[in-house]
C-alpha cells in the first residue's frame, strides 16, 4: 500500500468538500431579513377569572335594576332606573366588547416575532402570514406602537431600514400546538425571511439542542474518517490483488 496515494486521496477529498461548501455559499439564498419566533401559552390567574365572572353576574340588568329600585325606595321612575342601569353597565360592556366578549382568557396562545434587517439596503413590503387570525401589536425600531383592534391573519410592514428591528406580538384564541403546525410565513419584495423558531427542551433533547453545533462538527469529522477508512481499505484490497497477480505471473 502506498501512503503517498493515501495522502493524495485525502487531500483531493478535502479539496472536493471545500469546493462544495464554497459553491453552496455562493449559490445559496442570501437572506437579508431575519425573523426569530417564540410561542407561549398564557392565561390569567384563576382567581381573576372567577372575579370577572362574579362581576358579570352582578352587572346583569335585573340585578342592577332591583338594587337601584330598592335604594331609591320608588322615588325614581322606570325610565330613570333604566338609564342608571345603562350608565352602570357601559364601562364593563366596553371592556368586553368586540373580540373580548368571551372574557379575559379568550386569547391564551401567544406568538412573539422579532424582525431584523441585516442587509445593506432597506427591506420593503414585509408581509407576515399568520397561522390564524389573532390580535396584533407592532413596535417599530423607534418605539412607536401600532395596535390592531380586530383579529387579523396578515401583517404588513412597509419598510425596514438597515439594522432596524420590529417586534410583533400576536394573541390567538386557538390551540397552541395546532398553531405551531400551521407555521408562519414571512416574505418581502426580494425574497423570503430566514426564520428561526425558539422552543423549550428538556433532558436529552435539551442537551442535543444546546450542543447542536458541536454535534454537527463531530458528525462531519466521523463521516470524513469513515470515508478515509473506506478509501484505505479499498487501496489495501487493490494492492493485495496486484501483489497476487504479480506472484502468479
Amino acid at each position: 500500500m502506498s501512503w503517498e496515494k493515501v495522502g493524495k486521496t485525502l487531500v483531493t477529498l478535502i479539496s472536493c468538500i471545500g469546493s462544495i461548501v464554497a459553491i453552496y455559499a455562493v449559490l445559496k439564498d442570501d437572506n437579508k431579513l431575519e425573523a426569530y419566533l417564540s410561542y407561549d401559552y398564557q392565561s390569567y390567574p384563576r382567581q381573576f377569572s372567577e372575579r370577572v365572572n362574579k362581576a358579570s353576574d352582578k352587572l346583569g340588568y335585573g340585578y342592577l335594576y332591583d338594587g337601584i329600585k330598592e335604594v331609591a325606595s320608588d322615588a325614581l321612575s322606570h325610565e330613570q332606573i333604566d338609564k342608571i342601569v345603562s350608565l352602570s353597565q357601559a364601562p364593563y360592556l366596553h371592556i368586553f366588547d368586540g373580540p373580548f366578549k368571551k372574557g379575559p382568557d379568550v386569547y391564551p396562545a401567544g406568538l412573539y416575532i422579532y424582525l431584523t434587517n441585516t442587509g445593506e439596503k432597506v427591506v420593503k413590503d414585509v408581509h407576515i402570514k399568520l397561522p390564524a387570525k389573532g390580535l396584533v401589536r407592532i413596535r417599530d425600531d423607534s418605539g412607536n406602537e401600532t395596535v390592531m383592534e380586530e383579529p387579523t391573519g396578515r401583517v404588513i410592514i412597509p419598510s425596514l431600514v438597515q439594522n432596524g428591528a420590529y417586534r410583533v406580538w400576536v394573541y390567538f384564541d386557538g390551540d397552541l400546538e395546532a398553531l405551531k403546525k400551521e407555521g408562519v410565513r414571512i416574505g418581502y419584495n426580494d425574497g423570503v425571511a430566514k426564520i428561526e423558531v425558539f422552543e423549550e427542551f428538556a433532558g436529552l433533547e435539551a442537551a442535543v439542542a444546546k450542543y447542536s453545533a458541536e454535534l454537527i462538527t463531530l458528525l462531519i469529522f466521523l463521516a470524513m474518517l469513515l470515508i478515509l477508512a473506506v478509501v484505505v481499505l479499498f487501496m489495501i484490497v487493490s494492492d493485495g490483488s496486484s501483489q497476487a497477480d504479480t506472484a502468479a505471473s
Side-chain angles (χ1 to χ4, degrees):
M1 180 183 64
S2 174
W3 289 105
E4 182 180 355
K5 291 182 180 180
V6 175
K8 290 181 178 179
T9 303
L10 181 60
V11 171
T12 303
L13 177 62
I14 295 175
S15 299
C16 291
I17 294 175
S19 299
I20 293 173
V21 172
I23 294 173
Y24 172 76
V26 172
L27 297 180
K28 74 173 183 177
D29 184 17
D30 188 14
N31 291 299
K32 302 301 181 184
L33 183 64
E34 297 181 2
Y36 303 90
L37 279 61
S38 62
Y39 295 87
D40 67 346
Y41 186 86
Q42 54 192 6
S43 63
Y44 290 96
R46 183 175 180 85
Q47 297 90 329
F48 178 74
S49 300
E50 290 177 352
R51 288 186 182 185
V52 170
N53 293 331
K54 291 179 180 179
S56 177
D57 295 335
K58 292 183 178 180
L59 283 168
Y61 182 87
Y63 182 89
L64 289 176
Y65 187 94
D66 293 340
I68 294 171
K69 184 177 180 180
E70 182 180 352
V71 172
S73 301
D74 296 329
L76 299 175
S77 65
H78 169 74
E79 289 75 12
Q80 290 174 319
I81 296 176
D82 184 71
K83 188 173 183 179
I84 294 174
V85 170
S86 297
L87 291 173
S88 301
Q89 290 178 325
Y92 178 83
L93 294 178
H94 176 69
I95 292 175
F96 292 98
D97 194 11
F100 302 105
K101 290 181 178 180
K102 297 180 181 178
D105 293 326
V106 70
Y107 291 94
L111 168 64
Y112 172 69
I113 304 174
Y114 179 81
L115 284 171
T116 181
N117 177 13
T118 60
E120 299 179 354
K121 297 180 180 179
V122 176
V123 172
K124 298 181 179 179
D125 188 27
V126 179
H127 45 277
I128 304 173
K129 177 67 172 60
L130 300 173
K133 287 187 176 182
L135 294 176
V136 176
R137 177 165 64 100
I138 305 171
R139 181 185 298 168
D140 62 20
D141 45 14
S142 299
N144 301 315
E145 290 199 356
T146 302
V147 178
M148 299 183 181
E149 294 293 338
E150 296 298 326
T152 180
R154 189 177 181 87
V155 177
I156 303 295
I157 298 175
S159 62
L160 187 57
V161 299
Q162 181 184 5
N163 296 322
Y166 268 67
R167 294 169 174 80
V168 182
W169 292 267
V170 190
Y171 307 93
F172 302 97
D173 63 351
D175 179 69
L176 186 60
E177 295 303 322
L179 293 170
K180 288 182 179 181
K181 291 180 181 179
E182 288 294 329
V184 177
R185 297 171 180 83
I186 304 175
Y188 59 107
N189 61 330
D190 287 333
V192 295
K194 176 184 177 182
I195 299 177
E196 293 187 14
V197 181
F198 291 90
E199 294 189 70
E200 293 185 359
F201 296 94
L204 179 61
E205 291 184 347
V208 172
K210 182 177 181 180
Y211 299 104
S212 58
E214 291 82 354
L215 182 60
I216 291 174
T217 302
L218 177 61
L219 290 175
I220 293 175
F221 179 71
L222 292 176
M224 293 181 65
L225 287 180
L226 178 62
I227 294 174
L228 178 60
V230 172
V231 171
V232 172
L233 180 62
F234 175 77
M235 295 186 67
I236 291 175
V237 173
S238 298
D239 288 345
S241 299
S242 299
Q243 292 177 5
D245 293 339
T246 302
S249 300

